[in-house]
Amino acid sequence: MTPSLLTFQEVRFGYNRTEAPVFDGLDLSLKEGRITAILGPNGAGKTTLLYLVLGWLKPWAGKICLLDIPIENYSRRALGQHISLIPQSEHTPFEYTVLEYVLLGRAPYLPPLGAPSQDDEKIAYEALVKMGIGDLYDHSILTLSGGERQMVLAARALAQEPKLLLLDEPTSHLDLSNKVRLVHILRKLKNSGTTILMSTHEPELALALSDDTILMEKGRVLTSGRTAEMVTEENLSKIYHIPVKTVFADGKKFIAWM
Amino acid sequence: MSDTAAAVALQELALRKLTRRWILLILGVTLVGIFIFSLLWGRYPGLGFISWQRVNQDELAKLLIFNVRLPRLITALLLGAVLSAGGIVFQMLFGNPLVEPGFLGVSQGAAFGAALCIVFLGGSAVLLQGSAAVFALAGLALSYLLARRIRYGGWVLRLVLSGIAVSALFSAGLGILKYLADPLRQLPEITFWLLGGLSSITWKKLLAILPAVISGLVFLYLFRWRLNILALSDEAAFSMGAAPKRDRLLLLTAAVLPTAAVISVAGMVGWVGLIIPHIARRLFGSDTHLTLPAAMLLGGIFTILCDDLSRSLLAGEIPLGILTSLLGSTIFIVLMISRGTKVHR
């Protein structure tokens, strides 16, 4: 019913032409205003898939369309206004303040030789507040903890005001309370109309957050659909190669692996 | 509640930005002051200033100021600005605060090119500049290509390794050229070129490098905020709507071309590109929007002062490169061990 924001048609992609491709004829479609999780073990090709969506990697064959227009037809600027990425981690040796760093997310809205205005600063500050770290705005990013840094990266992606937000293993540096905070923030974002695509190797996160789930294993999309139907004992045991059980408590599904 | 917090925060930032702009202006005024001071300061007839009165009466003094000191000072200013701005650009692009524009085979390439020109092509200003520039760029290209082919280590380590290897190749080549050079005519010229100095600057030499230098500086100045984005990983920069490969190449070229040009007339002037960006970041933070112009001004001030010392400390000239290295490394050591330095990994 809801229109597709992003579609993959027969996408073929590999890193090395002499080897078998990572994706061979991949079809996907992301619905607007939903949260989709790419779930699979390490090395399944989740990040590769995100980079294809971002346009950073180019498919050998097939079509990737955003709002029915092939992504290669977008200018760099226009694509930056539509899609933003929260990388898994990022390192810089320079002492930026948190706000200066988040302001970098305004780049696709600025003229090629421009610098952020006070309005941009306001948007960046609001992004920090949304991530619950408004009071850190003037700290040096080098003094932040791993979790805080992840929140700064998220704020930078929000400052980009994307239609489609990509997250690469968003919870890998987060403790439990930060994880819960992120889940709440992402839900709120979804309610305000942002489409979210995230990679994760944690089935718990997919269950807690995503409407749809794409199950991946060794560069193959095993199956995809509603999260409740995808995250099952059978599917999880299959992709992780260990026996996984699901249990119900408080009317919610939980994963048991020990 | 959060609205007022935001307002307070933004106001505080606006105020800080204003303060920094004022400091920038003060730096600019200081630069102009030092420039005028240096124009009149020197060893003619004795150590001291030349008065305006004397300029008006003494033809030789007039000639000295307008045909010797003026082009020399302008070159010193541009040299400092180019090396400092280039230092910032290199440090941002390589995500490493310890690289400088001479890094990656650029300096040694330029030295080899200059020596090659002195030995085999005569050494006219235009040829020398061209040869130094071409080999500076060749050094950069070789280092870059080599780094891509090295099969181990992270990207920065690979660049450092290939930079060392390429520099060593060029310095070996330079050794051969020195060996071949005519010891009476060519060898001293090469040696002086390597020590760096501005004593031979004329209007003609200055005008020869002006197009490359001005266009490079203007380009870097205009691109100054975007430079921040290119310090990020390729993927992150790309996700923010940049074209990282193209932009990096553009900025690298815009930094190396003027660097090669100033090296070609001034020889090897070390440490400016390392120490000045460091000081600029201390004063203005890491955001290159203000730090880059600040580095240009600071670089100009530093080089002019060093050049003043080089021509007035002794009756004979002390090569500029010796002084910038001496002062630069001393300041560097002091900064590194001073209490204000925060230690990060």
Side-chain angles (χ1 to χ4, degrees):
Chain A
M1 264 126 282
T2 39
S4 285
L5 180 67
L6 184 97
T7 53
F8 274 47
Q9 286 165 35
E10 292 282 312
V11 169
R12 251 169 85 84
F13 174 80
Y15 285 98
N16 193 333
R17 295 258 177 191
T18 58
E19 287 164 18
V22 178
F23 298 114
D24 202 354
L26 181 59
D27 288 304
L28 272 181
S29 105
L30 288 190
K31 301 261 176 357
E32 202 161 355
R34 290 171 78 86
I35 300 181
T36 307
I38 311 167
L39 180 63
N42 298 324
K46 303 189 291 287
T47 304
T48 307
L49 185 56
L50 284 182
Y51 283 172
L52 280 168
V53 175
L54 189 64
W56 171 244
L57 298 175
K58 303 216 165 18
W60 293 355
K63 252 179 28 186
I64 302 173
C65 293
L66 181 73
L67 296 167
D68 295 326
I69 302 166
I71 57 169
E72 66 266 23
N73 290 7
Y74 285 82
S75 71
R76 296 275 40 260
R77 227 170 105 84
L79 204 60
Q81 294 174 2
H82 280 89
I83 304 179
S84 77
L85 167 77
I86 305 180
Q88 196 172 348
S89 62
E90 191 167 286
H91 296 283
T92 169
F94 301 108
E95 285 232 68
Y96 285 100
T97 67
V98 166
L99 194 76
E100 281 170 349
Y101 211 59
V102 171
L103 270 172
L104 301 182
R106 299 301 297 162
Y109 295 91
L110 302 174
L113 301 175
S117 67
Q118 208 153 20
D119 290 338
D120 294 310
E121 277 176 2
K122 204 163 161 214
I123 293 169
Y125 188 85
E126 276 160 12
L128 282 173
V129 171
K130 259 186 220 165
M131 296 310 298
I133 49 169
D135 51 332
L136 292 182
Y137 78 97
D138 210 17
H139 286 226
S140 153
I141 51 165
L142 297 182
T143 59
L144 301 182
S145 72
E148 288 168 337
R149 213 180 265 217
Q150 192 76 19
M151 291 298 177
V152 171
L153 293 180
R156 190 181 69 193
L158 290 192
Q160 235 173 301
E161 302 181 320
K163 284 199 174 51
L164 173 61
L165 179 63
L166 308 177
L167 298 94
D168 194 3
E169 302 283 358
T171 53
S172 55
H173 295 280
L174 300 184
D175 63 17
L176 209 53
S177 74
N178 273 328
K179 235 181 243 190
V180 172
R181 194 155 89 190
L182 185 78
V183 166
H184 284 301
I185 291 164
L186 291 179
R187 275 206 196 115
K188 230 193 260 175
L189 265 182
K190 171 195 151 182
N191 291 336
S192 64
T194 310
T195 309
I196 295 169
L197 176 66
M198 61 175 184
S199 75
T200 180
H201 52 248
E202 289 185 75
E204 291 89 348
L205 185 68
L207 268 184
L209 189 58
S210 66
D211 306 302
D212 302 312
T213 294
I214 300 166
L215 282 178
M216 285 190 69
E217 189 200 14
K218 287 182 192 145
R220 257 170 352 106
V221 170
L222 223 56
T223 168
S224 63
R226 298 226 160 221
T227 299
E229 292 153 26
M230 291 300 112
V231 183
T232 61
E233 289 181 358
E234 192 198 345
N235 281 340
L236 292 180
S237 303
K238 203 155 131 197
I239 61 170
Y240 289 103
H241 302 292
I242 51 161
V244 175
K245 288 216 169 305
T246 55
V247 290
F248 284 86
D250 289 346
K252 284 187 201 158
K253 202 198 271 189
F254 291 91
I255 315 288
W257 42 270
M258 272 178 78
Chain B
M1 184 61 202
S2 92
D3 265 6
T4 52
V8 169
L10 292 178
Q11 204 165 15
E12 214 170 281
L13 285 173
L15 200 65
R16 185 191 305 163
K17 224 184 244 173
L18 195 67
T19 317
R20 286 182 170 170
R21 275 178 213 279
W22 272 105
I23 301 177
L24 212 56
L25 187 70
I26 292 170
L27 281 180
V29 172
T30 311
L31 179 62
V32 173
I34 288 177
F35 190 91
I36 295 169
F37 162 89
S38 307
L39 204 55
L40 300 174
W41 170 263
R43 283 182 170 269
Y44 178 82
L47 186 64
F49 292 102
I50 298 176
S51 65
W52 275 121
Q53 205 182 356
R54 180 161 199 136
V55 178
N56 288 329
Q57 290 166 356
D58 184 344
E59 271 307 308
L60 199 59
K62 207 178 202 169
L63 208 65
L64 176 71
I65 286 185
F66 291 107
N67 277 357
V68 180
R69 285 192 193 159
L70 191 57
R72 177 173 179 157
L73 275 169
I74 295 174
T75 311
L77 168 68
L78 294 175
L79 173 69
V82 164
L83 291 179
S84 307
I88 293 228
V89 171
F90 267 63
Q91 288 161 13
M92 296 304 280
L93 294 189
F94 293 115
N96 185 338
L98 291 178
V99 299
E100 49 129 7
F103 178 72
L104 292 183
V106 175
S107 283
Q108 292 301 327
F112 177 82
L116 192 73
C117 182
I118 291 169
V119 174
F120 291 114
L121 301 171
S124 73
V126 177
L127 269 183
L128 190 77
Q129 181 195 355
S131 175
V134 164
F135 279 93
L137 290 176
L140 178 78
L142 270 176
S143 302
Y144 185 79
L145 292 175
L146 185 61
R148 289 179 54 137
R149 306 219 47 174
I150 295 178
R151 282 281 156 255
Y152 62 92
W155 176 236
V156 172
L157 177 67
R158 300 208 310 255
L159 277 170
V160 172
L161 288 176
S162 60
I164 291 171
V166 170
S167 296
L169 279 177
F170 276 122
S171 73
L174 181 64
I176 296 172
L177 288 171
K178 278 168 148 177
Y179 183 72
L180 292 176
D182 176 347
L184 290 179
R185 277 187 311 114
Q186 296 168 335
L187 195 56
E189 202 177 333
I190 295 177
T191 308
F192 264 98
W193 195 88
L194 290 178
L195 287 174
L198 298 171
S199 54
S200 66
I201 296 297
T202 57
W203 278 113
K204 201 178 149 201
K205 280 193 180 177
L206 173 58
L207 289 176
I209 64 164
L210 217 49
V213 169
I214 296 297
S215 53
L217 283 178
V218 167
F219 184 86
L220 294 181
Y221 179 80
L222 293 174
F223 225 81
R224 66 197 186 281
W225 187 77
R226 290 267 156 185
L227 187 54
N228 288 311
I229 308 268
L230 298 175
L232 303 173
S233 70
D234 277 353
E235 296 88 343
F238 185 88
S239 78
M240 275 168 243
K245 283 184 178 148
R246 184 200 67 196
D247 292 354
R248 286 217 169 104
L249 196 66
L250 267 176
L251 278 165
L252 213 54
T253 314
V256 170
L257 276 179
T259 301
V262 291
I263 290 182
S264 74
V265 296
M268 309 289 251
V269 176
W271 280 91
V272 180
L274 204 59
I275 187 68
I276 299 298
H278 205 88
I279 296 172
R281 269 197 296 271
R282 281 277 181 109
L283 292 174
F284 293 87
S286 284
D287 183 351
T288 47
H289 188 236
L290 287 182
T291 305
L292 189 85
M296 289 179 182
L297 294 174
L298 283 166
I301 292 173
F302 180 74
T303 319
I304 289 181
L305 286 178
C306 282
D307 189 51
D308 285 352
L309 289 176
S310 103
R311 63 194 167 84
S312 58
L313 220 49
L314 300 176
E317 259 214 44
I318 305 171
L320 179 64
I322 296 175
L323 281 169
T324 58
S325 296
L326 186 68
L327 288 175
S329 52
T330 310
I331 296 173
F332 191 71
I333 291 167
V334 171
L335 279 181
M336 284 292 136
I337 59 178
S338 70
R339 294 180 53 140
T341 312
K342 290 174 206 137
V343 178
H344 301 293
R345 268 180 41 76

